[in-house]
């Protein structure tokens, strides 16, 4: 029985981790291309998910179309954010740019409170059949399968985009060396804008998957945005594969800490459980102490 | 005719002058005048107004600390509220057995120790990563407090302080008594701040912030300088938190969340990073904004017209605060990165040759 429980937890962890991996992808892209730590990622996730909900339930579009539209719209929002706020900050110290994203997160929060989504829970319309696969006692629900499958498809698309397409290569070039790519005719501005658009796109994708797996709620969605930070530090801030691995590892850790650690903690004297919210950040701190560049991040030669 | 009282800018011309606190007698007179004004101000105010003033001064202390970490050392801290929380909980736990003039520094010290631990990565990595370390600490702090039965799981822990040297601090005098305590602590902290930053250490901080490699080459230890800045900023936060605990007569975890950390950062930015004047103007501005937003939302709740046009389920009141905070941060960063301090400077320079243009 123990083994089955273990595998079950592992699978639900991987499913959650896939969501983090999706959300982390866009974050890493923005960091890679412009060295900006995006604190408004959680808000982008929430907006993407709520847009999809609004389109699917209120405008009665088919769910798949609604999801696609929501992703495009959130990508547009990311693009707009870069255009309106971040482009003005070019040349400013990087601290100011990061603080702009903190302010932006607050603004987006406020905007969401202006809609009915600011409070309450929302459930996506059921598109998947109830239940799931049953493999020798281990059950995988269809939403979990969907989360894993969706992430896999997205990663393949991304892999193709970065390895083969001209724009993807331009983005990698800018991430590597802005000056050199500029002198070779790559429009750095366009790449920045594109990075933010992709960040919006992946954030929305993550939000939609959350909506399909469980309910939507603003605080919960923003908490996912925060959990992206441990994932990317674990994987290395500037590594795309690292983001995926980090996201999945954090998801598994969360699932295990709910299953195993909560009981231990309540014996120690901490009540209420919920260690899944603290463990990722503990991992973040420990990583920063011992291996700050993460598992796959480039170790900068330049020290402190 | 230049008005010497409206002089702006740095008129220190020699190293000896540069290490002084006041450049000339006019600065001393202005500061003394300001202090006297602050001392007699509560006489003209009601109890509730003094309370607002108390909050502003407490946040000013926390923002001073933030100005060391973020303003001088260039490390973004989104955990200053958590450091305040560490100070507040230290005070709450030690208040029954120790007098307040011991518990408040103790709170600062514990916060500094924890700041030191959180800041350890600064020995190895650059500032970007530190923002994430403080974020992690902020989240872990709220979680731990919320789950610890010893800390009432984040619910209110009463902090009582009934009399001081035989003087009874009752319901009516509470706000006034703590106003003077907070003002005194603030003055001490400003003096310490200025003394710290005009000396060798402050210069090292500026050097490390502006170019860490050059600073390293000149014999400063960038990692240790930053770590120290981190601990100092946390110390200021802890002291502010301790004062807050006494002022509110209780400690609740809601006071020390990520949202509050962002608000403190907003105060530092709006005021102007790295300045004492800004550390006072920023909290005043943000608190004023918060109060007016609260009043606005109360008015909106009362008005039937607005109630009738907002769709069901929309809570405009709770949207106003994050919206205005975020907008203030973003707009100040884009249009006035030097903050209100710069407006103060411009205002004074306008009066330099007033009423003539030149």
């Amino acid at each position: 029985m123990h083994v089955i429980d273990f595998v079950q937890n592992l699978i639900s962890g991987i499913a959650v981790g896939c969501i983090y991996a999706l959300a982390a992808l866009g974050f890493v892209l923005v960091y890679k291309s412009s060295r900006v730590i995006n604190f408004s990622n959680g808000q982008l996730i929430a907006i993407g998910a709520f847009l999809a909900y609004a389109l699917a339930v209120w405008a009665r579009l088919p769910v798949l179309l609604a999801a696609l539209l929501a992703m495009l719209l959130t990508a547009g929002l990311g693009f707009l954010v870069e255009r309106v706020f971040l482009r003005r900050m070019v040349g400013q110290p990087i601290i100011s740019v990061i603080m702009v994203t903190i302010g932006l997160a607050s603004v987006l929060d406020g905007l969401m409170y202006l809609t009915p989504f600011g409070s309450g829970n929302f459930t996506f319309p059921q598109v998947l059949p109830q239940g799931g696969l049953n493999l020798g006692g281990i059950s995988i629900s269809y939403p979990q399968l969907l989360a894993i499958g969706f992430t896999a498809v997205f990663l393949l698309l991304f892999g193709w985009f970065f390895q083969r397409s001209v724009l993807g290569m331009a983005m990698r070039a800018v991430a590597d060396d802005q000056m050199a790519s500029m002198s070779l005719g790559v429009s750095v501005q366009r790449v920045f804008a594109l990075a933010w658009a992709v960040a919006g796109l992946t954030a929305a994708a993550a939000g939609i998957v959350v909506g399909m797996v469980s309910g939507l709620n603003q605080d919960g969605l923003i908490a996912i945005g925060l959990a992206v930070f441990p994932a990317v530090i674990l994987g290395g801030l500037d590594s795309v594969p690292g983001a995926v691995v980090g996201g999945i590892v954090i998801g598994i850790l969360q699932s295990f800490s709910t299953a195993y650690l909560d009981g231990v903690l309540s014996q120690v004297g901490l009540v209420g459980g919920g260690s899944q919210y603290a463990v990722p950040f503990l991992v973040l701190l420990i990583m920063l102490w011992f291996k700050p560049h993460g598992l796959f991040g480039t170790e900068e030669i330049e020290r402190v | 005719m230049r008005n010497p009282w409206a002089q702006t800018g740095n008129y220190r011309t020699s190293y000896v002058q540069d290490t002084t606190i006041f450049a000339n007698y006019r600065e001393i007179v202005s500061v003394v005048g300001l202090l006297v004004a602050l001392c007699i101000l509560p006489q003209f105010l009601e109890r509730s107004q003094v309370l607002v003033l108390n909050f502003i001064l407490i946040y000013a202390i926390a923002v001073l600390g933030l100005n060391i970490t973020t303003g001088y050392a260039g490390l973004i801290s989104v955990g200053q509220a958590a450091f305040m929380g560490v100070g507040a909980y230290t005070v709450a736990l030690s208040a029954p057995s120790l007098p307040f003039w011991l518990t408040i520094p103790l709170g600062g010290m514990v916060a500094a120790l924890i700041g030191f631990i959180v800041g350890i990565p600064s020995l190895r990595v650059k500032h970007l990563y530190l923002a994430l370390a403080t974020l992690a600490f902020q989240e872990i702090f709220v979680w731990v407090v919320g789950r610890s039965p010893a800390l009432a799981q984040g619910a209110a822990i009463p902090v009582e302080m009934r009399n001081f040297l035989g003087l009874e601090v009752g319901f009516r005098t509470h706000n006034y008594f703590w106003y003077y305590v907070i003002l005194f602590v603030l003055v001490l902290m400003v003096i310490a701040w200025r003394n710290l930053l005009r000396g060798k250490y402050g210069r090292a901080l500026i050097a490390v912030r502006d170019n860490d490699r050059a600073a390293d080459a000149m014999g400063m230890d960038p990692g240790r300088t930053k770590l120290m800045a981190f601990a100092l900023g946390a110390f200021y936060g802890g002291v502010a938190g301790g004062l807050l605990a006494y002022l509110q007569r209780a400690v609740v975890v809601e006071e020390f969340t990520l949202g509050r950390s962002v608000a403190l950062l907003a105060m530092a930015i709006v005021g102007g990073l790295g300045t004492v004047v800004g550390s006072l103007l920023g909290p005043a501005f943000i608190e004023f904004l918060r109060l007016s937003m609260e009043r606005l939302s109360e008015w909106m709740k009362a008005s039937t017209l607005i109630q009738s046009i907002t769709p069901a389920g929309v809570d405009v009141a709770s949207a106003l605060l994050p919206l205005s905070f975020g907008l203030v941060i973003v707009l100040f960063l884009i249009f006035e990165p030097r903050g209100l301090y710069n407006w103060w400077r411009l205002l004074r320079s306008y009066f330099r040759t007033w009423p003539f243009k030149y």
Side-chain angles (χ1 to χ4, degrees), chain B residues 165-223:
Chain B
L165 300 176
L167 187 89
E168 201 189 325
V169 184
F171 180 66
R172 292 197 169 281
T173 47
H174 180 84
N175 286 355
Y176 294 95
F177 172 75
W178 284 107
Y179 175 80
Y180 288 108
V181 173
I182 293 165
L183 189 61
F184 178 71
V185 174
L186 177 65
V187 170
L188 277 186
M189 297 303 254
V190 170
I191 293 172
W193 197 87
R194 183 77 191 106
N195 271 332
L196 194 79
L197 295 178
R198 80 191 158 112
K200 179 179 152 194
Y201 179 68
R203 284 157 188 287
L205 263 185
I206 295 171
V208 168
R209 175 192 63 189
D210 289 346
N211 191 335
D212 41 11
R213 270 176 291 179
D216 203 1
M218 292 171 88
M220 293 162 228
D221 185 338

Side-chain angles (χ1 to χ4, degrees), chain A residues 205-217:
Chain A
I208 291 163
V209 174
V210 174
M212 297 203 170
V213 174
S214 58
L216 295 176
N217 149 295

